[in-house]
Amino acid sequence: MIVLLSQTKLPDSSNQVSDIVGAVHDEVTQLEATKFVFHIYLMLADLLEYLDDSVVSNTKPHIKKITIDELEALLNINRNIAKNIIKARVKNGGLTLKQLGEVSGIGNKTLEKAKELIEF
């Protein structure tokens, strides 16, 4: 270790040491400031998008694109019933509310949930 220290070139004066420390400190400060400004920019962009009335978001999944997992979660049904819905959708090339009611395992409560939560 002593050999390594003796081979390392050290600054000649205390001014050079303060210059080196100052330069490192300036770089870190600039990086931190850049990160901070970037995060503020992202937060403001999200807020503006959230507050923008012209952006209309349809949160209902469409019956033609809904996944088995989404069906299970939204309608609180088991995997087999969700599979039956997907099979009926494929067979019919889509699914209407009436056709959904004809799927085995779908009752009135589930049909009402689907009416509220899924776009047909």
Side-chain angles (χ1 to χ4, degrees), residues 82-97:
K83 284 181 184 179
N84 289 340
I85 294 171
I86 299 296
K87 287 177 187 176
R89 179 178 74 186
V90 171
K91 180 182 174 186
N92 296 315
L95 213 55
T96 64
L97 193 59

Side-chain angles (χ1 to χ4, degrees), residues 28-119:
V28 172
T29 303
Q30 185 179 6
L31 177 63
E32 289 173 348
T34 303
K35 285 181 180 179
F36 178 75
V37 169
F38 183 68
H39 287 293
I40 294 293
Y41 170 79
L42 291 176
M43 287 187 335
L44 287 174
D46 288 342
L47 280 172
L48 290 172
E49 184 178 340
Y50 176 75
L51 295 174
D52 188 7
D53 290 337
S54 67
V55 176
V56 178
S57 65
N58 185 3
T59 57
K60 289 183 178 184
H62 197 281
I63 192 66
K64 290 183 177 182
K65 295 182 179 181
I66 197 166
T67 65
I68 290 177
D69 294 328
E70 289 172 324
L71 284 169
E72 285 182 285
L74 288 174
L75 302 179
N76 196 24
I77 58 176
N78 68 40
R79 191 85 169 169
N80 290 331
I81 296 173
K83 284 181 184 179
N84 289 340
I85 294 171
I86 299 296
K87 287 177 187 176
R89 179 178 74 186
V90 171
K91 180 182 174 186
N92 296 315
L95 213 55
T96 64
L97 193 59
K98 182 180 177 186
Q99 290 170 328
L100 179 62
E102 296 170 357
V103 173
S104 176
I106 299 294
N108 289 334
K109 289 181 183 178
T110 306
L111 205 55
E112 286 301 315
K113 270 189 195 175
K115 193 176 183 180
E116 292 174 22
L117 302 174
I118 300 172
E119 186 180 333

